[in-house]
Amino acid sequence: MNELFSLQGKNAVVTGGSRGLGKEMALGLAQAGANVAVISRKSAPEVEEELKAYGVHAVSIAFDIGQIEQHEELVNLVEAQLGPVDILINNAGIQKRHPAAEFPQQDWQAVMDINLHAVFSLCQLFGRPMLARGAGKIINIASLLSYQGGVNIPAYTASKHAVSGLTKALANEWASKGVHVNAIAPGYMATEMNDALINDETRSRQILERIPAQQWGSGQDMQGAAVFLASAASNYIHGFTIAVDGGWLAG
Ligand SMILES: NC(=O)c1ccc[n+]([C@@H]2O[C@H](COP(=O)([O-])OP(=O)(O)OC[C@H]3O[C@@H](n4cnc5c(N)ncnc54)[C@H](O)[C@@H]3O)[C@@H](O)[C@H]2O)c1
């Protein structure tokens, strides 16, 4: 059974792995034996050290994934430091909140660039060598906003619906070639991205009351699903988005 979930000797990349959900998923993969490269806007040597404590090879790379024209360089850098990549977690994401009628074009573009355009580009660039080898696991981080509309977050909602659709589209093309593309939709997780919601007493209470599990999620809650989708245990799963949401979507 342990072998089914083992990531021993696998090389993984986690974008946005310096904090929040990305960091915890990176630690989960390392605990299962994977070598991990975390990519974030600022280098995260402390995360690199935490990962190495699991006896794996780990690197932290500072890179703005919004620089899509430089993604090939990023892939080369990762492969030079880690070797061929077996697992990609497209986790980095941003949020901008404004009423839809006043939503600035600049913020729309920024959200689309990070949450969608960069995700597709990294799927392509890390995906091609996986296709050539006939093996690979890609996990895109979707959201409850892949299913629902939300309020004041039209760009985020549009981008996360697209991530879920892109996951299915890639799975249709790549499943027969040994490359698994799936997604995880986190629910309401207590990370810095949600500071605005958590600090709004009324919204925070309303959200909590609506979660069947009666608690906000944590980064650690993402580890099981991430390891599962990265491992042989999920080998017949393609194009699916797993919700890690305390039951929200069932409500
Ligand atoms: N927290 C939640 O409740 C929640 C719910 C659903 C989905 N998500 C999704 O989960 C993912 C992680 O969210 P989080 O809450 O941990 O966010 P976070 O803000 O705590 O962390 C985001 C990470 O992404 C990285 N990042 C952002 N822009 C980047 C860029 N241009 N280049 C490189 N790295 C960049 C940051 O450095 C950071 O490491 C996101 O895709 C988010 O949309 C989060």
Side-chain angles (χ1 to χ4, degrees):
M1 183 53 72
N2 282 347
E3 241 168 67
L4 208 51
F5 291 92
S6 170
L7 301 178
Q8 206 69 45
K10 302 286 186 194
N11 296 327
V13 173
V14 182
T15 68
S18 64
R19 68 179 206 189
L21 307 184
K23 176 184 167 187
E24 294 302 328
M25 287 189 284
L27 289 170
L29 299 186
Q31 217 173 328
N35 306 310
V36 186
V38 291
I39 296 160
S40 48
R41 280 173 293 203
K42 290 188 210 133
S43 162
E46 69 293 348
V47 176
E48 192 178 306
E49 290 315 308
E50 278 187 64
L51 290 164
K52 283 180 179 163
Y54 289 108
V56 301
H57 184 45
V59 289
S60 157
I61 297 173
F63 185 90
D64 176 357
I65 61 158
Q67 306 296 315
I68 292 174
E69 66 288 353
Q70 286 167 28
H71 277 187
E72 273 189 37
E73 281 168 45
L74 173 67
V75 174
N76 292 339
L77 191 65
V78 169
E79 285 179 346
Q81 297 203 32
L82 208 63
V85 172
D86 305 290
I87 300 157
L88 166 66
I89 303 191
N90 273 312
N91 163 78
I94 59 169
Q95 176 64 288
K96 301 278 182 193
R97 296 175 192 274
H98 311 279
E102 282 87 44
F103 207 92
Q105 190 59 35
Q106 198 184 333
D107 281 0
W108 175 274
Q109 199 57 51
V111 170
M112 287 299 171
D113 279 348
I114 304 301
N115 292 12
L116 179 60
H117 302 150
V119 169
F120 179 56
S121 168
L122 294 174
C123 283
Q124 269 192 320
L125 293 174
F126 282 108
R128 281 180 198 144
M130 291 179 183
L131 291 164
R133 289 197 310 275
K137 299 271 187 178
I138 296 177
I139 303 165
N140 295 324
I141 302 306
S143 169
L144 295 180
L145 282 313
S146 298
Y147 303 92
Q148 302 177 322
V151 176
N152 294 338
I153 52 172
Y156 186 84
T157 300
S159 72
K160 292 297 185 178
H161 271 66
V163 163
S164 168
L166 176 64
T167 298
K168 292 177 192 167
L170 295 180
N172 278 337
E173 289 194 43
W174 295 355
S176 64
K177 301 184 170 90
V179 178
H180 297 72
V181 189
N182 290 292
I184 302 173
Y188 283 91
M189 317 303 267
T191 67
E192 288 174 57
M193 177 177 274
N194 280 330
D195 276 350
L197 286 181
I198 292 164
N199 295 331
D200 178 336
E201 228 172 84
T202 311
R203 276 294 282 139
S204 182
R205 182 178 40 76
Q206 287 167 340
I207 288 168
L208 198 56
E209 283 170 1
R210 164 79 175 73
I211 303 173
Q214 291 285 290
Q215 54 188 6
W216 284 66
S218 72
Q220 284 96 320
D221 290 324
M222 297 286 288
Q223 291 178 332
V227 170
F228 172 59
L229 289 179
S231 71
S234 59
N235 270 355
Y236 199 55
I237 298 180
H238 294 277
F240 195 69
T241 300
I242 296 181
V244 176
D245 67 349
W248 179 281
L249 287 175

